[in-house]
Amino acid sequence: MTQSHEHLETLQDTAFVGTIKPQKHSAVGGVLNDAWVFILRSLKLIFKSPDQLIGLIVQPIMFMLLFRYVFGGAINTGSTSYVNFLVAGILVQMAAFGALTTSFSVAIDMQKGVIDRLKSFPIASWAVLVGHVVGDLVRNVLSSLILIGVAMVVGFRPNAGVKEWILITLIVLLFTFAVSWVSAILGLIAKTVEAVQWMGFFLVFPLTFASAAFAPTETMAKGIRVFAQNQPVTHVIEAIRALMIGTPIGNHATLAVIWCVGIIVVAIPLAAYLFKKQITK
């Protein structure tokens, strides 16, 4: 590990004042090492934070039990049992809300001056964004495993084989990766941490609830139904649901991938531009 990386690992505990002029970023290998250092930093922040650990464990249990036993009896899902219908929706909703952790982490780094300090190190300072995004991917994978385990206990009976589970994992990771980069943008443009919370709420709440997550879209009012059946979250949910329980998948998997890749193609350059604009102020 280079001397700059050793500085980075103790960055939060030092009173370093960045008075040195910014230096050029390292080469490709150095950039990858910089990203790895920040990935490790994000993982340490997750596993050293009791709040994040509690959220990681409790959130999937709470959502699964709440929708399974409070709302399940009032929603008709036809020949598919509600618990089998529900798991894909909660999985995607949890991934979306979990990805918002990126926006909080980025906003906190901006407000605490961590980004300003990075200007003084010979590193790829934008690697901090990569660290937060990848850290949240790991966090969401762990929450997803807990959710699937709880769902099995309360009656979830998937028909998926190994191939289907691999495809489900790839779709969830792709979706989480896309939402995490959008979240990074929110963290960069928000003026306060409180603003990040509201911005994330207005983005994720309508996309997850006005979707096929918790009820069939055919039962919704016309205007909401048109939105719900054509927005990206519904395609992601329907693709995962079809792979899990063996219902017709149609073009949902293709549209889910197109939506996620499209979001990533737009979000990463935009996040990089906003980040560069912030550190050059």
Side-chain angles (χ1 to χ4, degrees):
M1 184 175 290
T2 65
Q3 185 177 2
S4 62
H5 294 162
E6 293 174 355
H7 283 304
L8 284 173
E9 287 189 320
T10 57
L11 192 57
Q12 302 240 23
D13 300 322
T14 65
F16 183 84
V17 179
T19 56
I20 303 174
K21 291 183 179 180
Q23 301 182 35
K24 291 183 179 179
H25 292 167
S26 53
V28 175
V31 171
L32 294 177
N33 283 333
D34 295 342
W36 177 243
V37 169
F38 280 99
I39 290 170
L40 292 178
R41 170 180 177 260
S42 295
L43 293 177
K44 287 180 180 177
L45 290 176
I46 291 173
F47 290 105
K48 286 184 177 180
S49 169
D51 292 342
Q52 292 209 42
L53 283 177
I54 292 173
L56 186 152
I57 296 170
V58 173
Q59 184 178 340
I61 298 174
M62 184 183 68
F63 275 118
M64 191 68 234
L65 297 180
L66 178 67
F67 282 93
R68 170 74 173 88
Y69 293 111
V70 176
F71 300 108
I75 299 175
N76 182 7
T77 54
S79 59
T80 302
S81 67
Y82 188 66
V83 65
N84 281 349
F85 179 91
L86 180 64
V87 173
I90 292 187
L91 185 66
V92 173
Q93 185 212 36
M94 201 176 60
F97 278 104
L100 290 179
T101 306
T102 299
S103 59
F104 287 101
S105 301
V106 172
I108 290 172
D109 277 354
M110 299 295 293
Q111 292 189 14
K112 286 190 174 181
V114 172
I115 304 300
D116 289 334
R117 295 179 184 183
L118 296 180
K119 296 177 184 178
S120 305
F121 292 92
I123 62 169
S125 54
W126 55 265
V128 67
L129 296 181
V130 177
H132 287 311
V133 169
V134 175
D136 283 337
L137 278 178
V138 174
R139 184 179 183 279
N140 276 324
V141 167
L142 295 176
S143 289
S144 298
L145 292 175
I146 294 173
L147 171 66
I148 298 297
V150 174
M152 296 291 288
V153 172
V154 298
F156 176 52
R157 296 295 179 265
N159 298 318
V162 174
K163 177 183 175 183
E164 285 76 17
W165 281 114
I166 291 173
L167 291 174
I168 290 167
T169 302
L170 292 176
I171 292 173
V172 172
L173 289 176
L174 183 65
F175 173 74
T176 306
F177 190 70
V179 179
S180 293
W181 279 106
V182 175
S183 299
I185 293 172
L186 298 182
L188 289 169
I189 63 177
K191 301 298 182 185
T192 64
V193 175
E194 290 76 14
V196 169
Q197 183 177 3
W198 283 108
M199 292 163 70
F201 177 82
F202 284 122
L203 173 68
V204 174
F205 195 86
L207 284 175
T208 53
F209 280 87
S211 72
F214 308 111
T217 56
E218 292 79 9
T219 63
M220 299 177 182
K222 184 177 180 181
I224 296 177
R225 182 173 69 246
V226 172
F227 171 77
Q229 291 179 337
N230 294 282
Q231 56 117 327
V233 172
T234 289
H235 293 302
V236 173
I237 291 170
E238 293 288 17
I240 293 173
R241 181 176 292 144
L243 291 167
M244 280 182 171
I245 62 177
T247 55
I249 194 168
N251 59 359
H252 291 300
T254 302
L255 292 174
V257 172
I258 290 174
W259 268 109
C260 291
V261 172
I263 291 171
I264 292 169
V265 168
V266 174
I268 290 181
L270 181 56
Y273 167 77
L274 292 171
F275 186 78
K276 184 177 180 181
K277 188 177 178 181
Q278 291 283 355
I279 65 173
T280 53
K281 281 184 177 178

